Coordinates of all heavy atoms in Angstrom, one line a residue:
M1 N 0.8 -1.2 0.0 CA 0.0 0.0 0.0 C 0.9 1.3 0.0 O 0.5 2.3 -0.6 CB -0.9 0.0 1.2 CG -1.9 -1.2 1.3 SD -2.8 -1.5 -0.3 CE -3.9 -0.1 -0.3
D2 N 2.0 1.2 0.7 CA 2.8 2.4 0.8 C 3.8 2.4 -0.4 O 4.4 3.4 -0.7 CB 3.6 2.4 2.1 CG 2.7 2.7 3.3 OD1 1.6 3.2 3.0 OD2 3.1 2.4 4.4
G3 N 4.0 1.2 -1.0 CA 4.8 1.2 -2.1 C 6.2 0.5 -1.8 O 6.8 -0.1 -2.7
G4 N 6.6 0.5 -0.6 CA 8.0 -0.1 -0.4 C 9.0 0.7 -1.1 O 8.8 1.7 -1.7
N5 N 10.2 0.2 -1.0 CA 11.3 1.0 -1.6 C 11.2 1.0 -3.1 O 11.4 2.0 -3.8 CB 12.7 0.3 -1.2 CG 13.0 0.5 0.3 OD1 12.5 1.5 0.9 ND2 13.7 -0.4 0.9
Y6 N 10.8 -0.2 -3.7 CA 10.8 -0.2 -5.1 C 9.6 0.6 -5.7 O 9.7 1.0 -6.9 CB 10.8 -1.6 -5.7 CG 9.7 -2.5 -5.2 CD1 8.5 -2.4 -5.8 CD2 9.8 -3.4 -4.1 CE1 7.4 -3.2 -5.4 CE2 8.8 -4.1 -3.7 CZ 7.6 -4.1 -4.3 OH 6.5 -4.9 -3.9
M7 N 8.6 0.7 -4.9 CA 7.4 1.4 -5.5 C 7.6 2.9 -5.6 O 6.9 3.6 -6.3 CB 6.2 1.2 -4.6 CG 5.7 -0.2 -4.6 SD 5.1 -0.7 -6.2 CE 3.6 0.3 -6.2
N8 N 8.6 3.4 -4.8 CA 8.9 4.9 -4.9 C 10.0 5.2 -5.9 O 10.4 6.3 -5.9 CB 9.3 5.3 -3.5 CG 8.2 5.2 -2.5 OD1 7.0 5.5 -2.8 ND2 8.5 4.8 -1.2
G9 N 10.3 4.3 -6.7 CA 11.4 4.5 -7.7 C 10.8 5.4 -8.8 O 9.7 5.7 -8.9
P10 N 11.7 5.8 -9.7 CA 11.3 6.6 -10.8 C 10.3 5.9 -11.8 O 10.4 4.7 -11.9 CB 12.6 6.9 -11.6 CG 13.5 5.8 -11.2 CD 13.1 5.5 -9.8
L11 N 9.5 6.6 -12.4 CA 8.5 6.0 -13.3 C 9.1 5.2 -14.4 O 8.5 4.3 -14.9 CB 7.5 7.1 -13.8 CG 6.6 7.7 -12.8 CD1 5.8 8.8 -13.5 CD2 5.7 6.7 -12.2
N12 N 10.3 5.6 -14.8 CA 10.9 4.9 -16.0 C 11.8 3.8 -15.5 O 12.6 3.2 -16.3 CB 11.7 5.9 -16.8 CG 12.8 6.5 -16.0 OD1 12.9 6.4 -14.8 ND2 13.6 7.3 -16.7
N13 N 11.7 3.4 -14.2 CA 12.5 2.3 -13.7 C 12.1 1.0 -14.5 O 11.0 0.6 -14.5 CB 12.2 2.1 -12.2 CG 13.1 1.0 -11.6 OD1 13.6 0.1 -12.3 ND2 13.3 1.2 -10.3
P14 N 13.0 0.4 -15.2 CA 12.7 -0.8 -16.1 C 12.7 -2.1 -15.3 O 12.5 -3.1 -16.0 CB 13.8 -0.7 -17.1 CG 15.0 -0.2 -16.4 CD 14.5 0.8 -15.3
S15 N 13.0 -2.1 -14.0 CA 13.2 -3.4 -13.4 C 11.9 -4.2 -13.3 O 10.8 -3.6 -13.2 CB 13.7 -3.2 -11.9 OG 12.8 -2.7 -11.1
F16 N 12.0 -5.5 -13.3 CA 10.9 -6.4 -13.2 C 10.2 -6.2 -11.9 O 9.0 -6.3 -11.8 CB 11.3 -7.8 -13.5 CG 10.2 -8.8 -13.4 CD1 9.3 -8.9 -14.5 CD2 10.0 -9.7 -12.4 CE1 8.2 -9.8 -14.5 CE2 9.0 -10.6 -12.3 CZ 8.1 -10.6 -13.4
E17 N 11.0 -6.1 -10.8 CA 10.5 -5.9 -9.5 C 9.6 -4.7 -9.4 O 8.5 -4.7 -8.7 CB 11.6 -5.9 -8.5 CG 12.3 -7.2 -8.3 CD 13.3 -7.5 -9.4 OE1 13.5 -6.5 -10.2 OE2 13.9 -8.6 -9.4
Y18 N 10.0 -3.6 -10.0 CA 9.3 -2.3 -9.9 C 7.9 -2.5 -10.7 O 6.9 -2.1 -10.2 CB 10.1 -1.2 -10.5 CG 9.3 0.1 -10.6 CD1 9.1 0.9 -9.5 CD2 8.8 0.6 -11.8 CE1 8.3 2.0 -9.5 CE2 8.0 1.7 -11.9 CZ 7.8 2.5 -10.7 OH 7.1 3.6 -10.8
L19 N 8.0 -3.1 -11.9 CA 6.8 -3.4 -12.6 C 5.8 -4.2 -11.8 O 4.6 -3.9 -11.7 CB 7.2 -4.1 -13.9 CG 6.0 -4.6 -14.8 CD1 5.1 -3.4 -15.3 CD2 6.5 -5.4 -16.0
L20 N 6.3 -5.3 -11.2 CA 5.5 -6.2 -10.5 C 4.8 -5.5 -9.3 O 3.7 -5.7 -9.0 CB 6.3 -7.4 -10.0 CG 5.6 -8.5 -9.2 CD1 4.5 -9.1 -10.0 CD2 6.6 -9.6 -8.8
G21 N 5.6 -4.7 -8.6 CA 5.1 -4.0 -7.4 C 4.0 -3.0 -7.8 O 3.0 -2.9 -7.1
S22 N 4.2 -2.3 -8.9 CA 3.3 -1.3 -9.4 C 1.9 -2.0 -9.7 O 0.9 -1.5 -9.4 CB 3.8 -0.6 -10.6 OG 5.0 0.1 -10.3
I23 N 2.0 -3.2 -10.4 CA 0.8 -3.9 -10.8 C 0.1 -4.4 -9.6 O -1.2 -4.3 -9.6 CB 1.2 -5.0 -11.8 CG1 1.7 -4.4 -13.1 CG2 0.0 -5.9 -12.1 CD1 2.2 -5.4 -14.1
I24 N 0.8 -5.0 -8.7 CA 0.2 -5.5 -7.5 C -0.6 -4.5 -6.7 O -1.8 -4.6 -6.4 CB 1.2 -6.2 -6.6 CG1 1.7 -7.5 -7.2 CG2 0.6 -6.5 -5.2 CD1 2.8 -8.2 -6.4
K25 N 0.0 -3.3 -6.6 CA -0.6 -2.2 -5.9 C -1.9 -1.8 -6.6 O -3.0 -1.6 -6.0 CB 0.3 -1.0 -5.7 CG -0.3 0.2 -5.0 CD 0.7 1.3 -4.9 CE 0.1 2.5 -4.2 NZ 1.1 3.6 -4.1
D26 N -1.8 -1.7 -7.9 CA -2.9 -1.2 -8.7 C -4.0 -2.2 -8.7 O -5.2 -1.9 -8.6 CB -2.4 -1.0 -10.2 CG -3.5 -0.4 -11.1 OD1 -4.3 0.3 -10.6 OD2 -3.5 -0.7 -12.3
E27 N -3.7 -3.5 -8.8 CA -4.7 -4.5 -8.9 C -5.4 -4.7 -7.5 O -6.7 -5.0 -7.5 CB -4.2 -5.9 -9.4 CG -3.8 -5.9 -10.8 CD -5.0 -5.5 -11.7 OE1 -6.1 -6.0 -11.4 OE2 -4.8 -4.8 -12.7
I28 N -4.7 -4.6 -6.4 CA -5.3 -4.7 -5.1 C -6.3 -3.6 -4.9 O -7.4 -3.7 -4.4 CB -4.3 -4.7 -4.0 CG1 -3.5 -6.1 -4.0 CG2 -4.9 -4.5 -2.6 CD1 -2.4 -6.2 -3.0
S29 N -5.9 -2.4 -5.3 CA -6.7 -1.2 -5.2 C -8.0 -1.4 -6.0 O -9.1 -1.1 -5.6 CB -6.0 0.0 -5.6 OG -6.8 1.2 -5.6
T30 N -7.8 -1.9 -7.3 CA -9.0 -2.1 -8.1 C -9.9 -3.1 -7.6 O -11.2 -3.0 -7.6 CB -8.5 -2.6 -9.5 OG1 -7.7 -1.5 -10.1 CG2 -9.7 -2.8 -10.4
S31 N -9.4 -4.2 -7.0 CA -10.2 -5.3 -6.5 C -11.0 -4.8 -5.3 O -12.2 -5.1 -5.1 CB -9.3 -6.5 -6.0 OG -8.7 -7.0 -7.1
I32 N -10.4 -4.0 -4.4 CA -11.1 -3.5 -3.3 C -12.2 -2.5 -3.7 O -13.3 -2.6 -3.2 CB -10.1 -2.7 -2.3 CG1 -9.1 -3.8 -1.7 CG2 -10.9 -2.0 -1.2 CD1 -8.0 -3.1 -0.9
N33 N -11.9 -1.7 -4.7 CA -12.9 -0.7 -5.2 C -14.1 -1.5 -5.8 O -15.3 -1.1 -5.6 CB -12.3 0.2 -6.2 CG -11.4 1.2 -5.5 OD1 -11.5 1.5 -4.3 ND2 -10.5 1.7 -6.3
D34 N -13.8 -2.6 -6.5 CA -14.9 -3.3 -7.1 C -15.8 -4.0 -6.2 O -17.0 -4.3 -6.5 CB -14.3 -4.4 -8.0 CG -13.7 -3.9 -9.3 OD1 -14.0 -2.7 -9.6 OD2 -13.0 -4.6 -10.0
L35 N -15.4 -4.2 -4.9 CA -16.3 -4.8 -3.9 C -17.4 -3.9 -3.6 O -18.5 -4.4 -3.2 CB -15.5 -5.1 -2.7 CG -14.4 -6.2 -2.7 CD1 -13.7 -6.3 -1.4 CD2 -15.1 -7.6 -3.1
F36 N -17.2 -2.6 -3.8 CA -18.2 -1.7 -3.3 C -18.8 -0.8 -4.5 O -19.4 0.2 -4.3 CB -17.6 -0.7 -2.3 CG -17.0 -1.4 -1.1 CD1 -15.6 -1.6 -1.1 CD2 -17.8 -1.9 -0.1 CE1 -15.1 -2.3 0.0 CE2 -17.2 -2.6 0.9 CZ -15.9 -2.8 1.0
R37 N -18.6 -1.4 -5.7 CA -19.1 -0.6 -6.8 C -19.9 -1.5 -7.8 O -19.4 -2.6 -8.1 CB -17.9 0.0 -7.6 CG -18.4 0.8 -8.8 CD -17.1 1.4 -9.5 NE -16.3 0.3 -10.1 CZ -15.0 0.4 -10.1 NH1 -14.3 1.4 -9.6 NH2 -14.3 -0.6 -10.7
N38 N -21.1 -1.1 -8.1 CA -21.9 -1.9 -9.1 C -21.2 -1.8 -10.4 O -20.9 -0.7 -10.9 CB -23.3 -1.4 -9.1 CG -24.1 -1.7 -7.9 OD1 -23.8 -2.7 -7.2 ND2 -25.0 -0.9 -7.5
K39 N -21.2 -2.9 -11.1 CA -20.6 -3.0 -12.5 C -21.7 -2.9 -13.5 O -22.7 -3.6 -13.4 CB -19.7 -4.2 -12.6 CG -18.6 -4.3 -11.5 CD -17.4 -5.1 -12.0 CE -16.6 -4.3 -12.9 NZ -15.3 -4.8 -13.2
E40 N -21.5 -2.1 -14.5 CA -22.5 -2.0 -15.6 C -22.3 -3.0 -16.6 O -21.2 -3.6 -16.8 CB -22.5 -0.6 -16.2 CG -22.8 0.5 -15.2 CD -22.8 1.9 -15.8 OE1 -22.3 1.9 -17.0 OE2 -23.1 2.8 -15.2
Y41 N -23.3 -3.4 -17.4 CA -23.2 -4.3 -18.5 C -22.3 -3.7 -19.5 O -22.0 -2.5 -19.6 CB -24.6 -4.5 -19.1 CG -25.4 -5.5 -18.4 CD1 -25.3 -5.7 -17.0 CD2 -26.4 -6.2 -19.1 CE1 -26.1 -6.7 -16.4 CE2 -27.2 -7.2 -18.5 CZ -27.0 -7.4 -17.1 OH -27.8 -8.3 -16.5
S42 N -21.9 -4.6 -20.4 CA -21.1 -4.1 -21.6 C -21.9 -3.0 -22.3 O -23.1 -3.0 -22.3 CB -20.9 -5.3 -22.5 OG -20.5 -4.9 -23.8
S43 N -21.1 -2.1 -22.9 CA -21.7 -1.0 -23.7 C -22.4 -1.5 -25.0 O -23.1 -0.8 -25.6 CB -20.7 0.0 -24.0 OG -19.7 -0.5 -24.8
K44 N -22.1 -2.8 -25.3 CA -22.7 -3.3 -26.6 C -24.2 -3.4 -26.4 O -24.8 -3.9 -25.4 CB -22.1 -4.7 -26.9 CG -20.7 -4.6 -27.5 CD -20.3 -6.0 -27.8 CE -19.0 -6.0 -28.6 NZ -17.9 -5.3 -27.9
K45 N -24.9 -3.0 -27.4 CA -26.4 -3.2 -27.5 C -26.7 -3.8 -28.9 O -26.6 -3.2 -29.9 CB -27.1 -1.9 -27.3 CG -28.6 -2.1 -27.3 CD -29.4 -0.8 -27.1 CE -30.9 -1.0 -27.1 NZ -31.6 0.2 -26.9
Y46 N -26.9 -5.1 -28.9 CA -27.1 -5.8 -30.1 C -28.4 -5.6 -30.8 O -29.4 -5.4 -30.2 CB -26.9 -7.3 -29.9 CG -25.5 -7.7 -29.6 CD1 -25.1 -8.2 -28.3 CD2 -24.5 -7.6 -30.6 CE1 -23.8 -8.5 -28.0 CE2 -23.2 -8.0 -30.3 CZ -22.8 -8.4 -29.0 OH -21.5 -8.7 -28.8
L47 N -28.3 -5.5 -32.2 CA -29.4 -5.3 -33.0 C -29.6 -6.5 -34.0 O -28.6 -7.2 -34.3 CB -29.2 -4.0 -33.9 CG -28.9 -2.8 -33.1 CD1 -28.5 -1.7 -34.1 CD2 -30.1 -2.3 -32.3
T48 N -30.8 -6.7 -34.4 CA -31.1 -7.8 -35.4 C -30.8 -7.1 -36.8 O -30.7 -5.9 -36.9 CB -32.5 -8.3 -35.3 OG1 -33.4 -7.2 -35.6 CG2 -32.8 -8.8 -33.9

């Protein structure tokens, strides 16, 4: 949640660890938000 040492690195840090840490933080945040948010159907509306 705080990012740890590698999460506070520069945005252009190419390391795999930095990428992994960023994604984990992002996905956990998204998962938590999804628990309390209604999801809408696909924007597709099919026609005959």
Side-chain angles (χ1 to χ4, degrees):
M1 301 309 291
D2 291 342
N5 292 332
Y6 59 83
M7 292 295 290
N8 293 323
L11 291 177
N12 62 354
N13 188 332
S15 72
F16 183 72
E17 290 79 7
Y18 176 75
L19 173 64
L20 180 58
S22 299
I23 292 174
I24 290 175
K25 181 179 179 181
D26 186 30
E27 290 302 321
I28 288 178
S29 176
T30 299
S31 296
I32 292 173
N33 289 336
D34 283 346
L35 291 176
F36 305 101
R37 183 178 65 216
N38 289 330
K39 304 206 76 166
E40 297 180 353
Y41 278 29
S42 164
S43 60
K44 284 183 171 57
K45 184 178 180 181
Y46 287 111
L47 305 172
T48 64

